[in-house]
CSV table of all heavy atoms in Angstrom, one decimal:
chain,number,residue,atom,x,y,z
A,122,LEU,N,112.2,-72.5,105.8
A,122,LEU,CA,113.1,-72.6,104.7
A,122,LEU,C,112.8,-73.8,103.7
A,122,LEU,O,113.0,-73.7,102.5
A,122,LEU,CB,114.6,-72.7,105.2
A,122,LEU,CG,115.2,-71.5,105.8
A,122,LEU,CD1,116.5,-71.8,106.4
A,122,LEU,CD2,115.3,-70.5,104.7
A,128,ARG,N,110.9,-69.1,97.0
A,128,ARG,CA,112.3,-69.1,96.7
A,128,ARG,C,113.0,-67.8,97.0
A,128,ARG,O,114.0,-67.8,97.7
A,128,ARG,CB,112.5,-69.5,95.3
A,128,ARG,CG,113.7,-70.3,95.0
A,128,ARG,CD,113.5,-70.9,93.6
A,128,ARG,NE,113.4,-72.4,93.7
A,128,ARG,CZ,114.5,-73.2,93.4
A,128,ARG,NH1,115.6,-72.7,93.1
A,128,ARG,NH2,114.3,-74.5,93.5
A,129,PRO,N,112.5,-66.6,96.5
A,129,PRO,CA,113.2,-65.4,96.8
A,129,PRO,C,113.4,-65.1,98.3
A,129,PRO,O,114.4,-64.6,98.7
A,129,PRO,CB,112.4,-64.3,96.1
A,129,PRO,CG,111.2,-65.0,95.6
A,129,PRO,CD,111.3,-66.4,95.7
A,130,LEU,N,112.3,-65.4,99.1
A,130,LEU,CA,112.4,-65.2,100.5
A,130,LEU,C,113.5,-66.1,101.1
A,130,LEU,O,114.3,-65.7,102.0
A,130,LEU,CB,111.1,-65.4,101.2
A,130,LEU,CG,110.2,-64.2,101.2
A,130,LEU,CD1,108.9,-64.5,101.9
A,130,LEU,CD2,110.9,-63.0,101.9
A,131,ALA,N,113.4,-67.4,100.8
A,131,ALA,CA,114.4,-68.3,101.3
A,131,ALA,C,115.8,-67.8,101.0
A,131,ALA,O,116.8,-68.0,101.7
A,131,ALA,CB,114.2,-69.7,100.8
A,132,ALA,N,116.0,-67.2,99.8
A,132,ALA,CA,117.3,-66.7,99.3
A,132,ALA,C,117.8,-65.5,100.2
A,132,ALA,O,118.9,-65.2,100.2
A,132,ALA,CB,117.3,-66.3,97.9
A,133,VAL,N,116.9,-64.9,100.9
A,133,VAL,CA,117.3,-63.8,101.8
A,133,VAL,C,117.6,-64.4,103.2
A,133,VAL,O,118.5,-64.1,103.9
A,133,VAL,CB,116.2,-62.7,102.0
A,133,VAL,CG1,116.6,-61.7,103.0
A,133,VAL,CG2,116.0,-62.1,100.6
A,134,VAL,N,116.7,-65.3,103.7
A,134,VAL,CA,116.8,-65.8,105.0
A,134,VAL,C,118.0,-66.7,105.3
A,134,VAL,O,118.7,-66.6,106.3
A,134,VAL,CB,115.5,-66.5,105.4
A,134,VAL,CG1,115.6,-67.2,106.8
A,134,VAL,CG2,114.3,-65.6,105.4
A,135,ARG,N,118.3,-67.6,104.3
A,135,ARG,CA,119.3,-68.5,104.5
A,135,ARG,C,120.7,-67.9,104.7
A,135,ARG,O,121.4,-68.1,105.6
A,135,ARG,CB,119.4,-69.6,103.4
A,135,ARG,CG,120.3,-70.8,103.7
A,135,ARG,CD,120.1,-71.9,102.8
A,135,ARG,NE,118.8,-72.5,102.7
A,135,ARG,CZ,118.0,-72.5,101.7
A,135,ARG,NH1,118.4,-71.9,100.6
A,135,ARG,NH2,116.8,-73.1,101.7
A,136,PRO,N,121.1,-66.9,103.8
A,136,PRO,CA,122.4,-66.3,104.0
A,136,PRO,C,122.4,-65.5,105.3
A,136,PRO,O,123.4,-65.4,105.9
A,136,PRO,CB,122.5,-65.3,102.8
A,136,PRO,CG,121.5,-65.8,101.8
A,136,PRO,CD,120.5,-66.5,102.5
A,137,ALA,N,121.3,-64.9,105.7
A,137,ALA,CA,121.2,-64.2,106.9
A,137,ALA,C,121.6,-65.1,108.1
A,137,ALA,O,122.3,-64.7,109.0
A,137,ALA,CB,119.9,-63.6,107.2
A,138,ILE,N,121.1,-66.3,108.1
A,138,ILE,CA,121.4,-67.2,109.1
A,138,ILE,C,122.8,-67.7,109.1
A,138,ILE,O,123.5,-67.8,110.2
A,138,ILE,CB,120.5,-68.5,109.1
A,138,ILE,CG1,119.1,-68.0,109.5
A,138,ILE,CG2,120.9,-69.6,110.0
A,138,ILE,CD1,117.9,-68.8,108.9
A,139,GLU,N,123.4,-67.9,107.9
A,139,GLU,CA,124.8,-68.2,107.8
A,139,GLU,C,125.7,-67.1,108.4
A,139,GLU,O,126.7,-67.3,109.1
A,139,GLU,CB,125.2,-68.4,106.3
A,139,GLU,CG,124.9,-69.8,105.8
A,139,GLU,CD,124.9,-69.9,104.3
A,139,GLU,OE1,125.6,-69.0,103.7
A,139,GLU,OE2,124.2,-70.7,103.8
A,140,LEU,N,125.2,-65.8,108.1
A,140,LEU,CA,126.0,-64.7,108.7
A,140,LEU,C,125.9,-64.7,110.2
A,140,LEU,O,126.9,-64.4,110.9
A,140,LEU,CB,125.4,-63.4,108.1
A,140,LEU,CG,126.0,-63.0,106.8
A,140,LEU,CD1,125.4,-61.7,106.3
A,140,LEU,CD2,127.5,-62.7,106.9
A,141,LEU,N,124.7,-64.9,110.8
A,141,LEU,CA,124.5,-65.0,112.2
A,141,LEU,C,125.5,-65.9,112.8
A,141,LEU,O,126.1,-65.7,113.9
A,141,LEU,CB,123.1,-65.4,112.6
A,141,LEU,CG,122.0,-64.4,112.7
A,141,LEU,CD1,120.8,-65.1,113.2
A,141,LEU,CD2,122.4,-63.3,113.6
A,142,ALA,N,125.8,-67.1,112.2
A,142,ALA,CA,126.7,-68.1,112.6
A,142,ALA,C,128.1,-67.5,112.7
A,142,ALA,O,128.9,-67.9,113.5
A,142,ALA,CB,126.7,-69.3,111.8
A,143,GLY,N,128.4,-66.6,111.7
A,143,GLY,CA,129.8,-66.1,111.6
A,143,GLY,C,130.1,-65.0,112.6
A,143,GLY,O,131.3,-64.6,112.7
A,203,GLU,N,117.3,-78.2,109.2
A,203,GLU,CA,117.0,-78.0,107.8
A,203,GLU,C,117.4,-79.2,106.9
A,203,GLU,O,116.6,-79.7,106.1
A,203,GLU,CB,117.6,-76.7,107.2
A,203,GLU,CG,117.0,-76.3,105.9
A,203,GLU,CD,117.9,-75.2,105.2
A,203,GLU,OE1,118.7,-74.6,105.9
A,203,GLU,OE2,117.8,-75.1,104.0
B,21,SER,N,115.1,-64.0,112.8
B,21,SER,CA,116.5,-64.2,112.5
B,21,SER,C,117.0,-63.1,111.6
B,21,SER,O,118.1,-62.5,111.9
B,21,SER,CB,116.8,-65.5,111.8
B,21,SER,OG,116.2,-66.6,112.6
B,22,VAL,N,116.3,-62.7,110.6
B,22,VAL,CA,116.7,-61.7,109.6
B,22,VAL,C,116.8,-60.4,110.3
B,22,VAL,O,117.7,-59.6,110.2
B,22,VAL,CB,115.8,-61.7,108.4
B,22,VAL,CG1,116.2,-60.6,107.4
B,22,VAL,CG2,115.7,-63.0,107.7
B,25,LEU,N,119.8,-60.1,112.6
B,25,LEU,CA,121.0,-59.9,111.9
B,25,LEU,C,121.1,-58.4,111.4
B,25,LEU,O,122.1,-57.7,111.6
B,25,LEU,CB,121.1,-60.8,110.6
B,25,LEU,CG,122.4,-60.6,109.8
B,25,LEU,CD1,123.6,-61.2,110.6
B,25,LEU,CD2,122.3,-61.1,108.4
B,29,ILE,N,123.9,-55.7,112.5
B,29,ILE,CA,124.8,-55.1,111.5
B,29,ILE,C,124.6,-53.5,111.6
B,29,ILE,O,125.6,-52.8,111.7
B,29,ILE,CB,124.6,-55.6,110.1
B,29,ILE,CG1,125.0,-57.0,110.1
B,29,ILE,CG2,125.3,-54.8,109.1
B,29,ILE,CD1,124.8,-57.7,108.7
B,263,VAL,N,133.9,-60.6,108.6
B,263,VAL,CA,133.0,-61.7,108.4
B,263,VAL,C,132.1,-61.6,107.2
B,263,VAL,O,132.0,-62.6,106.4
B,263,VAL,CB,132.0,-61.8,109.7
B,263,VAL,CG1,130.8,-62.7,109.4
B,263,VAL,CG2,132.8,-62.1,110.9
B,264,LEU,N,131.7,-60.4,106.9
B,264,LEU,CA,130.9,-60.2,105.7
B,264,LEU,C,131.7,-60.5,104.4
B,264,LEU,O,131.2,-61.2,103.5
B,264,LEU,CB,130.3,-58.8,105.6
B,264,LEU,CG,129.2,-58.4,106.6
B,264,LEU,CD1,128.9,-56.9,106.5
B,264,LEU,CD2,127.9,-59.2,106.3
B,267,ASN,N,132.2,-64.3,104.0
B,267,ASN,CA,131.0,-64.9,103.6
B,267,ASN,C,130.8,-64.7,102.1
B,267,ASN,O,130.4,-65.6,101.4
B,267,ASN,CB,129.8,-64.4,104.3
B,267,ASN,CG,129.4,-65.3,105.4
B,267,ASN,OD1,130.2,-65.7,106.3
B,267,ASN,ND2,128.2,-65.8,105.3
B,271,LYS,N,130.7,-67.5,99.1
B,271,LYS,CA,129.6,-67.6,98.1
B,271,LYS,C,130.0,-67.6,96.7
B,271,LYS,O,129.6,-68.4,95.9
B,271,LYS,CB,128.7,-66.3,98.3
B,271,LYS,CG,127.7,-66.5,99.5
B,271,LYS,CD,126.3,-67.0,99.0
B,271,LYS,CE,125.8,-68.0,99.9
B,271,LYS,NZ,125.8,-67.6,101.3
B,275,ARG,N,129.9,-70.7,94.0
B,275,ARG,CA,129.1,-70.5,92.8
B,275,ARG,C,129.9,-70.9,91.6
B,275,ARG,O,129.5,-71.6,90.7
B,275,ARG,CB,128.6,-69.1,92.7
B,275,ARG,CG,127.5,-68.9,91.8
B,275,ARG,CD,126.7,-67.6,92.0
B,275,ARG,NE,126.1,-67.6,93.3
B,275,ARG,CZ,125.7,-66.5,93.9
B,275,ARG,NH1,125.9,-65.3,93.3
B,275,ARG,NH2,125.1,-66.5,95.0
Side-chain angles (χ1 to χ4, degrees):
Chain A
L122 287 173
R128 217 163 244 260
L130 272 183
V133 175
V134 175
R135 193 171 296 115
I138 289 154
E139 280 164 25
L140 273 176
L141 273 184
E203 191 194 341
Chain B
S21 306
V22 179
L25 180 77
I29 291 178
V263 169
L264 288 172
N267 256 58
K271 277 267 139 50
R275 200 161 296 162

